[in-house]
Amino acid sequence: MIKPRTPPGVMELLPPDQIAFQRMLDTIRRNFERFGFLPVETPVMELSEVLLTKSGGETERQVYFVQSTGALGKSEGGGESTPELALRFDLTVPLARYVAEHEHELAFPFRRYQMQRVYRGERAQRGRFREFYQCDIDVIGKDALSIRFDAELPAVIHAVFSELNVGAFTIQLNNRKLMRGFFEALGVADGEQQALVLREVDKLDKRGEGHVRDTLVDDFGLADTVVARILDFVKVRSTSHADALAKLDALGEGTDALREGVAELREVLELVRALGVPESAYALNFSIARGLDYYTGTVYETTLNDYPQIGSVCSGGRYENLASHYTKSKLPGVGISIGLTRLFWQLREAGLLDTAQSTVQALVTQMDAAHLPHCLAVAGELRHGGFNTEVVMEPSKLGKQFKYADRAGIRFVIVLGEDEIAKGTVTVKDLRREDQFEVPRSELAKTLRVELAQAQALSKAQPTA
Amino acid sequence: MIKPRTPPGVMELLPPDQIAFQRMLDTIRRNFERFGFLPVETPVMELSEVLLTKSGGETERQVYFVQSTGALGKSEGGGESTPELALRFDLTVPLARYVAEHEHELAFPFRRYQMQRVYRGERAQRGRFREFYQCDIDVIGKDALSIRFDAELPAVIHAVFSELNVGAFTIQLNNRKLMRGFFEALGVADGEQQALVLREVDKLDKRGEGHVRDTLVDDFGLADTVVARILDFVKVRSTSHADALAKLDALGEGTDALREGVAELREVLELVRALGVPESAYALNFSIARGLDYYTGTVYETTLNDYPQIGSVCSGGRYENLASHYTKSKLPGVGISIGLTRLFWQLREAGLLDTAQSTVQALVTQMDAAHLPHCLAVAGELRHGGFNTEVVMEPSKLGKQFKYADRAGIRFVIVLGEDEIAKGTVTVKDLRREDQFEVPRSELAKTLRVELAQAQALSKAQPTA
């Protein structure tokens, strides 16, 4: 007898949670499609040679390699060669490979979404996952891609998170050119040094301003006045659309890079507003840097106002060239990513998940085995009317059947006794409204649709955050 | 520069095909949920020890093992030990593990669906996949599970395949007890010998009746009369519901096993009819055996009437005990599986796929960069009205924008010139109906909804197979 268990670092859910998770996936997908993004799925396994072009360090150490039983046998002699296949560790490298491979079959700008699991051999730790969903969208241009696309992504983020019901959130915007320009003007011109300074600044929350200030002065040899200006800069947050524009103006003329970054951010802000995103949902945040060696323009992070400890729930930005390892074509792009497994886990930890509603909407009970054909017919009518319906196939006490429906989160319980069968009716118990009524069978689906519509109208009438 | 390419044996799709694939997945899921099945997802990686309890042979040779870079280094010394992780090769073993692991948290009968990819290190071959989707449903009982559940699955199969638009299909039913009883009565009592005889009989189509007859007489030592009865038996197909019942009656009394199998099939047939499955969609087929050491009662195969060469597109059956390797509880079940990747591939080969419609329903064109805020506002209104909408973000010639919409399968093209902006209208071109009209902006979404509803009503008025 083997103990049934999953490997560490994976998230496996019981049906009520799985339903909640699936609803989040559906909401994300619906909104990605609403904005005209096209679906792509790639194989979970890529050729190691293709997947591992970039980097050695961190990334390569976290890769899962794959070998079929046959290949495993063969490699025993050699031993040291890298296995031929590996599991993807993100969706960006597969996107680069996909776009380069299918370059001549795709229309550019290419707008794709992809929602699949990725794999990282991370150290096992609570809340860290080795298998997790990423939900990505990217727009890829050929040769060039207008800055305007950078404005679409906050609109998508706003649509997704408004519908996910996670409370108020803020899409934080910054621009790497603006940052570069700012640091250049202060004499921190070297890209690598800028990165080190930013990494240090990133520790503000953890170590406190005093510690960071000392390090920048002592270890980096920066003047006190320079450090003061850096610390002021990274604390900039806008409080409204007008304030964001004012904060950009306040940066003054500066270097070419600064001017370019300011102009880009200004255009993005204006279009984000034109796209109907309320100004309470976005803000400038000059401390956002993200993937220092990857992003080159706009960068995004999204935080939940009431749960700052969760960190960014949707991040991304603009990059110069997606697929330089695979093609000579220049493919600039802009994209965002939601790490859904982690987000789901954190929402559950915070008690923010609604797992009360089953996908099953109606349960047809059974009082007597002889009634089964009638029960099946009623179920068929409900299904035909669009209701997800389960039938009790083995008769038991009615109370037990009700209890099952209640625990399972099934809203409508249909009772069909001798009486009802004779009259051509059914009795419906609405467990949510704690209501009971009898209707002619022919009107059952229609009646339940009305009940649902009323409930929906009611819930929409409630003020939402 | 690395050549961008996928490993052999995977199916990667361009967006139009991916959209068609996703529609099939959605249709299957919708119908699985319609019948009250609950979603489950399991990790792609399982512990090897847990995954590989059964069998050694065929299955084990096809398994993909997984190792993180760290583990790869460590095992270089030892070399021969089995890697700790492996990719699932089906959804049944993970289901067994899941049900055993969560036994006390699940309600039985447990009705789950699961639609995920599985991995088999098969020899690379056209139309054979190493990564493919399985779409499974199973009902698992605790200690016992009524035969009635066996009748639900053909109803699900019927709902799914009716909506998949693959033409007429037949759900073929048989029962392993009936088969066992039949062979026992002929003196072929040993289970293993029955299996060998059935395997031989399976070659009827390929090798012809003469060859099979000779083999059964010469190699198996069966009497001519016995062989004749076997060949008659496996040719039995029913042509209607009444004919199916008559064919069961014609089997006579026979052994206990035969009587039990006949009674089960009879009950299943009656309930399948009560569930509203038209009798043209199901039939007895006494040659269906399936997974000889696994299924113990009802067995199913589904074939497309016009494409018999595709083979079974949805198969399954009843099994005695799901998870004997993981728990002492007896967990009988009944399930079916659709191999969607293979099915999709074959439908595409047969030219049966509709890849003409994009997920994007409307394209808002742009004639002048100065109009962009208006374009974005119109797009916002369309999205709010439920339409998947793309905006042309970089102005170009209108003809080019129309051509793009046409190629991409986008139905509605929205034009917004000086005139329209002044009047507060938009011009809509319906590329499907080759129709053009101007509407007030405030009525745009409503008007397009009416257009779509008309189109749908029209397509539903067409006779379907």
Side-chain angles (χ1 to χ4, degrees), chain B residues 19 60 73 84 107 141 151 234 247-249 288 345 348 363 388 396 400 403 435:
Chain B
I19 290 168
E60 192 150 343
E84 200 192 355
V234 298
K247 293 237 151 74
L248 289 177
D249 285 343
I288 307 279
W345 186 83
R348 191 169 64 172
L363 181 75
N388 296 345
S396 63
K400 207 181 139 195
K403 201 183 236 169
D435 192 12

Side-chain angles (χ1 to χ4, degrees), chain B residues 142-341:
Chain B
K142 191 134 175 186
D143 301 321
L145 182 75
S146 160
I147 180 73
R148 296 162 173 194
F149 288 98
D150 299 41
E152 267 201 312
L153 299 194
V156 181
I157 298 173
H158 178 255
V160 166
F161 283 88
S162 298
E163 242 191 89
L164 282 179
N165 269 324
V166 290
F169 56 90
T170 307
I171 304 161
Q172 321 215 28
L173 295 159
N174 198 6
N175 186 297
R176 296 274 299 139
K177 289 177 191 164
L178 181 153
M179 296 185 99
R180 182 155 56 83
F182 171 81
F183 279 104
E184 278 170 5
L186 290 182
V188 187
D190 178 59
E192 204 138 319
Q193 212 202 345
Q194 287 176 18
L196 290 171
V197 169
L198 283 169
R199 197 161 300 155
E200 203 48 44
V201 167
D202 219 29
K203 299 174 186 162
L204 264 177
D205 287 345
K206 272 192 208 152
R207 311 229 171 138
E209 192 167 328
H211 176 92
V212 170
R213 188 191 310 271
D214 290 352
T215 309
L216 288 179
V217 172
D218 298 345
D219 300 0
F220 287 77
L222 297 178
D224 284 339
T225 51
V226 167
V227 172
R229 288 195 56 196
I230 292 174
L231 291 178
D232 283 347
F233 175 76
V234 298
K235 277 186 247 164
V236 169
R237 309 281 184 276
S238 68
T239 55
S240 69
H241 188 81
D243 183 49
L245 296 180
K247 293 237 151 74
L248 289 177
D249 285 343
L251 289 170
E253 277 296 299
T255 63
D256 284 353
L258 185 89
R259 273 193 302 277
E260 212 178 315
V262 166
E264 287 187 1
L265 263 182
R266 195 172 278 135
E267 184 161 4
V268 168
L269 287 167
E270 291 300 0
L271 291 178
V272 166
R273 184 159 71 165
L275 274 156
V277 181
E279 58 183 323
S280 60
Y282 59 92
L284 288 183
N285 179 341
F286 286 166
S287 77
I288 307 279
R290 302 219 58 85
L292 297 165
D293 45 358
Y294 185 58
Y295 294 117
T296 52
T298 316
V299 283
Y300 318 94
E301 287 193 356
T302 310
T303 47
L304 306 184
N305 294 4
D306 299 332
Y307 302 88
Q309 72 280 6
I310 289 183
S312 178
V313 295
C314 177
S315 315
R318 158 73 69 144
Y319 40 88
E320 209 69 358
N321 201 358
L322 175 69
S324 59
H325 293 95
Y326 308 124
T327 173
K328 282 178 192 159
S329 303
K330 201 188 159 202
L331 301 168
V334 59
I336 52 165
S337 181
I338 302 171
L340 190 61
T341 300

Side-chain angles (χ1 to χ4, degrees), chain A residues 362 364 377-387 389 414 444-445 448, chain B residues 34:
Chain A
V364 179
V378 168
E381 289 153 19
L382 278 171
R383 287 168 186 150
H384 191 73
F387 283 90
T389 305
I414 315 295
L444 175 58
L448 297 193
Chain B
R34 197 69 94 222

Side-chain angles (χ1 to χ4, degrees), chain A residues 2 5 12-13 26 29 34 41 44 49 60 65 67 69 97-98 117 119 148 325 389 393, chain B residues 5 12-13 26 29 34 41 44 49 60 65 67 69 97-98 117 119 148 325 389 393:
Chain A
I2 307 282
R5 64 205 191 279
E12 183 169 85
L13 304 173
D26 288 345
R29 178 152 75 97
R34 197 68 94 223
E41 288 196 344
V44 75
E49 183 199 348
E60 192 151 344
F65 289 102
Q67 282 176 297
T69 325
R97 194 265 307 142
Y98 182 94
R117 297 173 185 223
Y119 298 85
R148 297 163 173 195
H325 294 97
T389 305
M393 297 294 268
Chain B
R5 64 204 192 280
E12 182 169 86
L13 304 173
D26 288 344
R29 179 152 75 98
R34 197 69 94 222
E41 289 197 343
V44 74
E49 183 200 346
E60 192 150 343
F65 290 103
Q67 281 175 298
T69 326
R97 194 264 310 143
Y98 182 95
R117 297 173 184 222
Y119 298 85
R148 296 162 173 194
H325 293 95
T389 306
M393 296 293 267

